Amino acid sequence: MKSLKVRRIVSNTIIYFILIVMSIIWLLPIVWLVLQSFGKGGIELKQQIIPKKYSLDNYMYLFSNLTKKTNPIASNHSLDGYFLKWFGNTLIVSILSCLISTIFVLGTAYALSRFRFKSRTIFMKLNLVIGMFPGFLGMIIMYWVMKEIFHLQGNYLALVIIYAAGAGGGYYISKGFFDTISKNIDEAAMVDGASKSQIFWQIILPLAKPIIVYTVLTSFMGPWGDYITSSYIIGLQNTESWTVAIGLYQFVSGSQDTVTSYYVQFAPGAVCVALPITILFFLLQKYYVSGVTGGAVKG
């Protein structure tokens, strides 16, 4: 008995130690970013883990179109005043993509969970194989379609079409959740005269709040932080149509003059971008976890 107790204590100590180390590794960049956002100075902040002075100047420079305050030590002001525009573009793209993608994913998942039709199994296996290839492999054809067919080259609305078009392929977790809802509910509703559409919208979806929240969060987070697709489709020459991912990347990856001028605005910009996702996640965490675990029960 004593031996078992000692082993449990040793085991718990090792586990807690590993968790503490992992937490520090995970939190350190976030703490550093927040401290940098309030640091006072110029490009030299890049070399300081803990800034020597603090102020709100960096946030004032970031929202220069509202505060009318620009970085006095910067020699390049070509990107001043664009952050709110980029933030708005990203918000529009993320919300529209989220709404359309959620409907596509839930509809596809419900159909594959409840209906049995020819080639259903083949379709699911084929979709699983296609999902193993990264989406940016089709970047060239996506750009051509947006340019030649929709004439949306350089427009952030092209991203909505791209993000939403293939959303139905990510139905796996949602289908697993729908599989856990008894089919007797559908049968009882059909006996009462409900149509397939009424069963889905009025009966099944109210029971599927966790998976709806999970789908909404994942559909929103993808477009919100994406850089590869947005930079390729919009292009670096269309500054007003950029998303925040493109804008923040340009703050720290352009010419030496640009980096020197905008490094102090990168940190507060990154903090502002992280806040909506962080708030959403904490508010909806309970449903998010329920959706993931519920969707993992069946395949």
Side-chain angles (χ1 to χ4, degrees):
M1 182 66 68
K2 187 176 181 180
S3 160
L4 183 61
K5 185 177 180 179
V6 171
R7 275 186 291 176
R8 186 183 297 115
I9 293 174
V10 172
S11 175
N12 288 341
T13 302
I14 295 174
I15 291 173
Y16 284 127
F17 175 77
I18 294 174
L19 290 176
I20 291 172
V21 172
M22 291 177 63
S23 299
I24 293 173
I25 294 173
W26 184 77
L27 289 172
L28 190 59
I30 299 175
V31 173
W32 174 82
L33 184 68
V34 174
L35 291 177
Q36 287 278 307
S37 72
F38 290 103
K40 187 173 183 178
I43 190 67
E44 69 273 6
L45 281 173
K46 195 174 183 181
Q47 308 300 326
Q48 303 173 15
I49 296 178
I50 301 178
K52 298 176 181 178
K53 297 180 180 180
Y54 297 90
S55 88
L56 292 174
D57 286 350
N58 295 338
Y59 287 91
M60 302 286 280
Y61 303 152
L62 183 68
F63 299 103
S64 59
N65 53 332
L66 298 179
T67 63
K68 308 302 180 184
K69 186 173 183 179
T70 57
N71 190 350
I73 64 174
S75 58
N76 181 354
H77 294 281
S78 60
L79 299 179
D80 282 357
Y82 281 108
F83 183 78
L84 278 179
K85 177 67 175 175
W86 299 337
F87 195 93
N89 294 344
T90 310
L91 194 61
I92 292 172
V93 170
S94 298
I95 290 177
L96 291 179
S97 300
C98 174
L99 292 175
I100 300 172
S101 297
T102 299
I103 294 173
F104 283 1
V105 170
L106 295 178
T108 303
Y110 179 74
L112 293 173
S113 173
R114 289 300 196 262
F115 305 148
R116 297 296 181 268
F117 49 88
K118 188 177 180 180
S119 301
R120 171 180 173 274
T121 303
I122 295 176
F123 168 79
M124 292 175 64
K125 291 180 179 179
L126 181 62
N127 189 71
L128 186 63
V129 173
I130 293 175
M132 295 178 181
F133 295 91
F136 59 78
L137 289 179
M139 204 75 71
I140 295 177
I141 187 61
M142 286 191 291
Y143 179 82
W144 184 87
V145 169
M146 290 300 108
K147 180 180 179 181
E148 301 296 333
I149 298 180
F150 294 101
H151 304 292
L152 289 174
Q153 68 274 18
N155 193 314
Y156 61 83
L157 292 179
L159 296 175
V160 176
I161 299 175
I162 292 173
Y163 292 137
Y171 65 84
Y172 301 104
I173 299 294
S174 301
K175 177 187 175 298
F177 188 93
F178 285 133
D179 286 342
T180 65
I181 299 177
S182 175
K183 294 182 180 179
N184 293 334
I185 297 176
D186 300 52
E187 295 171 358
M190 291 176 66
V191 170
D192 290 336
S195 65
K196 296 289 186 182
S197 177
Q198 289 175 321
I199 293 172
F200 175 67
W201 291 105
Q202 300 177 20
I203 298 176
I204 299 300
L205 286 188
L207 297 174
K209 186 182 291 185
I211 201 62
I212 293 175
V213 171
Y214 166 81
T215 306
V216 166
L217 280 176
T218 52
S219 299
F220 184 86
M221 287 190 294
W224 185 261
D226 177 64
Y227 170 78
I228 297 177
T229 304
S230 58
S231 62
Y232 190 86
I233 298 300
I234 295 177
L236 300 182
Q237 70 277 10
N238 301 300
T239 308
E240 288 198 0
S241 296
W242 286 357
T243 60
V244 285
I246 304 175
L248 290 179
Y249 184 77
Q250 292 305 306
F251 278 175
V252 294
S253 67
S255 65
Q256 183 61 40
D257 189 33
T258 301
V259 174
T260 302
S261 299
Y262 287 99
Y263 178 78
V264 295
Q265 297 178 38
F266 171 80
V271 171
C272 291
V273 170
L275 278 178
I277 293 295
T278 304
I279 293 171
L280 273 176
F281 184 81
F282 277 112
L283 290 177
L284 303 175
Q285 184 179 17
K286 178 178 67 175
Y287 299 109
Y288 181 86
V289 174
S290 300
V292 175
T293 54
V297 174
K298 292 187 180 181

